[in-house]
Amino acid sequence: MTALNHTGVSHTVFRLLGIPGLEDQHMWISIPFFISYVMALLGNSLLIFIILTKPSLHEPMYLFLSMLAGADVVLSMCTVPQALAIFWFHAGEISLDRCIAQVFFLTSTFMSESGILLVMAFDRYIAICYPLRYTAILTHALIGKIGATIFLRSYGTVFPVIFLLKRLTFCKSNTIPNTTCKHIVLAKISCNDIRVNIWYGFFVLMSTLVLDVVLIFVSYMLILRAVFHIPSRDARHKALNTCGSHVCVIILFYGPGIFSVLTQRFGRHIALHVHVLLANVYTLIPPMLNPIIYGIKTKQIRDLVVCCFQSRNDFNNRN
């Protein structure tokens, strides 16, 4: 459980508590976790399959959407299986290396989603403001480079966190009041000065998520300005309708995260289990609802999903 070094005793194995204060309700809490996990995996996998196998959907908007769906799958797999293991089997033990790996993949995937939402806003800007040059600007080669840049930015920015956590000595406690390992939550149970961790975490937040939100806002201001200069009312409505799904996903992605941060900063009287539940919302709800939102609001995807299920039913009926 522990290892000795020159600074004293440092824990190398930790115990995740799940939802502190609600341990007797873990079995019931696991039900929405499990349902959201299954829906996220099935919905996003189906979305990726449809986009990659249908040549008519090999357009920039849908290729970016497949990236978002892939990130949603990874985000779900980083968090929910660990939570379910705690709820069902009380298997909360996790090694320091696994804990740090979870911090790395969870944080980098979350930032990758933010970057994908930013380029999707850029995609809508090009589609509405430069419709005739849309496919000429957003070529498949450029989309590939954009995707690589998003993931390199995310992994490169989070990579130093590994070393910031590895340098710490965990001599206070080996219990983590959460369902997953998180950077500052893990750093707080160390015996060291964690100001470097806090400031680097703040830098990461400002240089990625906050910057993305600002640029998305600017993109939509430019989109709205272009839309309201369109003379035809029907054309304006059609242009705004193409942004509807993206706006819903943006609100769904950033909304719970911002609310969780605000409650942690100003809601000191709020019970710990509420903070933990809120922190789980933004890793549970967006991956589950994103494919549903795009499936309902995007006609091409909706029609292909219906066609896939009809074809399968016809095949079953013939047999």
Side-chain angles (χ1 to χ4, degrees), residues 42-158:
L42 292 178
N44 286 292
S45 299
L46 178 62
L47 200 57
I48 294 169
F49 174 77
I50 288 173
I51 291 171
L52 295 183
T53 57
K54 302 296 180 181
S56 62
L57 296 183
H58 290 180
E59 296 179 8
M61 183 180 87
Y62 301 111
L63 294 176
F64 289 132
L65 179 56
S66 68
M67 291 182 197
L68 183 68
D72 279 336
V73 170
V74 175
L75 189 64
S76 295
M77 294 179 71
C78 282
T79 56
V80 184
Q82 176 72 62
L84 292 176
I86 296 169
F87 297 153
W88 290 344
F89 311 112
H90 307 289
E93 278 200 357
I94 185 169
S95 67
L96 177 61
D97 289 338
R98 272 187 61 207
C99 200
I100 293 174
Q102 189 176 55
V103 170
F104 175 77
F105 286 108
L106 176 59
T107 310
S108 58
T109 304
F110 192 76
M111 292 194 321
S112 295
E113 286 217 24
S114 180
I116 294 166
L117 290 175
L118 171 61
V119 297
M120 289 176 81
F122 174 70
D123 166 79
R124 291 300 83 205
Y125 169 74
I126 298 296
I128 291 171
C129 298
Y130 304 99
L132 299 179
R133 298 174 57 200
Y134 177 58
T135 53
I137 294 172
L138 289 173
T139 61
H140 285 185
L142 180 59
I143 291 168
K145 291 176 183 176
I146 289 172
T149 302
I150 289 169
F151 293 112
L152 285 173
R153 181 193 76 156
S154 302
Y155 293 129
T157 308
V158 181

Side-chain angles (χ1 to χ4, degrees), residues 19 28-38 79-80 83-84 87 179 277 280 284:
I19 314 293
W28 293 108
I29 294 171
S30 71
I31 296 172
F33 272 71
F34 179 71
I35 292 171
S36 67
Y37 182 56
V38 171
T79 56
V80 184
L84 292 176
F87 297 153
T179 56
L277 286 169
N280 277 282
L284 286 173

Side-chain angles (χ1 to χ4, degrees), residues 118 121 125 211-225:
L118 171 61
Y125 169 74
L211 180 62
D212 290 348
V213 169
V214 171
L215 293 176
I216 288 171
F217 179 78
V218 171
S219 296
Y220 271 96
M221 289 299 100
L222 295 173
I223 288 170
L224 288 174
R225 188 180 70 173

Side-chain angles (χ1 to χ4, degrees), residues 9-17 94 96 99 165 168-178 180-194:
V9 177
S10 183
H11 296 287
T12 57
V13 176
F14 299 87
R15 189 164 66 91
L16 293 162
L17 298 181
I94 185 169
L96 177 61
C99 200
L165 288 172
L168 299 177
T169 303
F170 300 95
C171 58
K172 285 183 181 178
S173 171
N174 72 329
T175 58
I176 301 173
N178 214 308
T180 55
C181 294
K182 295 182 180 177
H183 176 203
I184 299 302
V185 174
L186 184 59
K188 280 182 177 179
I189 62 172
S190 73
C191 306
N192 307 83
D193 185 347
I194 62 168

